[in-house]
Amino acid sequence: MAVTPATGAARQLWRRLRTRPSAVAAASVLALLVLLALAAPLLAALAGQDPHTYHDELVDSARGGVPYGSFGGISADHWLGVEPGTGRDLFVRLLYGARISLLVAVGATAVQILIGLLIGLAAGLGSRWVDAVLSRITDVFVALPFLVLAIALTAVVPRDFPRPLLLILVIGLLGWAGTSRIVRAQTLTLKSLDFVAASRLAGSGRGRTARRELIPSLAAPVITYAAILVPTNIVVEASLSFLGVGVTPPTPSWGQMLSTAQTWFRADPAYVLLPAGLLFVTVLAFTVLGDAVRTALDPREASRLAVGTAREKRARKEKKTS
């Protein structure tokens, strides 16, 4: 079977990432989180719980709803304890919260990349007038107060509109400007190179040139920036849910859980630490993996790594012979 350039580039990226223990660890953590999120219904059935059932008998109403038992009510039936005030199973709600947080972050990133790629390519390949107009529009979106607008837009939309979809659209439609700037700058650089000029001289239109020549060359910076956007969007979703304009109850979300946990941090610290810890680990893993992808896709960095590896091999060989 023939190996396409994209397949070869993917294999080369994977070989470079495998040499970095931090990248392997971050990818393993993210793979585990995604697997747990996808298997949330199966794990909930295995635990015999669901994210919405109240267990009033598991919380002490005389103390304001603090769970019975130690560490938030951990037991054989409730592996990570229960939610204060409601008695809902915390393990299952964390799993379903991971689904929402990852779905919103990845979906919003996809919207940002798509819009930024299209506008950046149009600005870079268009006439001076088109470039000027699109660049000024991009500057406006960069200058907009992102969080304030996101709060306003999510607050005015009817509550029956699907909140995860709303968050994806709001974050994606407000946050594409950074991608557009990167794509435009790279497009202006690439279109002056010989292979793009040859494509235009061969009769290819702007759309064909962008599709066959520019987009493959833009893959490295776009993928690198996407790896940075995902953890940023996770934090944005958590912030909006924390402020009460994101995911609405009873749908679980890490940000929403942190919002309700602020009143329980003294009586039940586990209810604060668990979603906060998962949010921290997820953002850290995405950040570390994004930095590793940036390094692996940077030819200058790759050459430095190759030189360093060769020197290390020679040093080890000389040490063995001496």
Side-chain angles (χ1 to χ4, degrees):
M1 184 177 65
V3 178
T4 63
T7 304
R11 290 179 179 176
Q12 186 179 26
L13 173 63
W14 170 240
R15 284 196 299 268
R16 292 175 180 174
L17 289 177
R18 283 190 306 177
T19 62
R20 298 175 65 91
S22 59
V24 174
S28 301
V29 169
L30 292 176
L32 178 62
L33 285 171
V34 171
L35 182 62
L36 290 174
L38 293 176
L42 179 62
L43 293 173
L46 182 64
Q49 305 294 335
D50 69 81
H52 306 307
T53 301
Y54 283 48
H55 298 280
D56 296 332
E57 72 280 3
L58 299 178
V59 294
D60 187 357
S61 58
R63 298 173 57 200
V66 177
Y68 289 112
S70 57
F71 302 105
I74 292 178
S75 65
D77 294 327
H78 303 280
W79 300 343
L80 293 180
V82 296
E83 187 178 59
T86 64
R88 292 179 292 193
D89 187 81
L90 193 54
F91 171 71
V92 175
R93 288 186 64 78
L94 286 171
L95 290 179
Y96 277 88
R99 294 182 116 194
I100 296 297
S101 295
L102 293 175
L103 173 65
V104 170
V106 174
T109 300
V111 174
Q112 290 170 331
I113 294 299
L114 179 60
I115 297 176
L117 184 63
L118 293 176
I119 294 181
L121 280 172
L125 291 175
S127 63
R128 288 186 178 182
W129 184 83
V130 172
D131 184 19
V133 171
L134 293 178
S135 296
R136 296 296 79 74
I137 293 175
T138 302
D139 292 341
V140 169
F141 273 83
V142 169
L144 289 176
F146 178 87
L147 190 58
V148 174
L149 278 178
I151 293 173
L153 290 175
T154 52
V156 299
V157 174
R159 305 295 285 183
D160 57 349
F161 190 88
R163 304 305 285 188
L165 177 59
L166 175 62
L167 290 175
I168 290 173
L169 294 176
V170 169
I171 297 173
L173 293 175
L174 291 178
W176 55 265
T179 306
S180 176
R181 280 186 163 182
I182 292 174
V183 171
R184 175 185 174 273
Q186 292 293 321
T187 301
L188 291 175
T189 301
L190 291 170
K191 75 175 185 179
S192 62
L193 300 182
D194 293 340
F195 72 97
V196 178
S199 175
R200 298 296 298 271
L201 290 174
S204 299
R206 290 178 179 175
R208 183 180 178 86
T209 300
R211 186 173 63 255
R212 300 191 60 180
E213 306 295 343
L214 293 177
I215 291 180
S217 300
L218 290 168
V222 169
I223 291 174
T224 302
Y225 192 61
I228 298 172
L229 282 176
V230 172
T232 302
N233 290 336
I234 290 177
V235 175
V236 171
E237 181 276 326
S239 301
L240 293 174
S241 297
F242 179 83
L243 294 172
V245 293
V247 177
T248 55
T251 304
S253 164
W254 290 346
Q256 179 201 102
M257 295 173 72
L258 286 173
S259 177
T260 57
Q262 60 181 328
T263 59
W264 300 99
F265 69 94
R266 292 185 182 273
D268 187 9
Y271 186 47
V272 182
L273 295 176
L274 286 173
L278 283 173
L279 185 62
F280 171 77
V281 169
T282 305
V283 172
L284 178 62
F286 268 115
T287 303
V288 171
L289 184 60
D291 182 69
V293 169
R294 177 194 60 78
T295 303
L297 291 175
D298 186 353
R300 294 169 298 180
E301 187 71 21
S303 64
R304 287 195 291 268
L305 289 174
V307 170
T309 303
R311 288 176 178 172
E312 290 173 1
K313 288 181 179 178
R314 287 197 300 269
R316 286 195 296 268
K317 186 180 293 186
E318 292 173 359
K319 187 175 181 180
K320 288 181 179 179
T321 55
S322 61

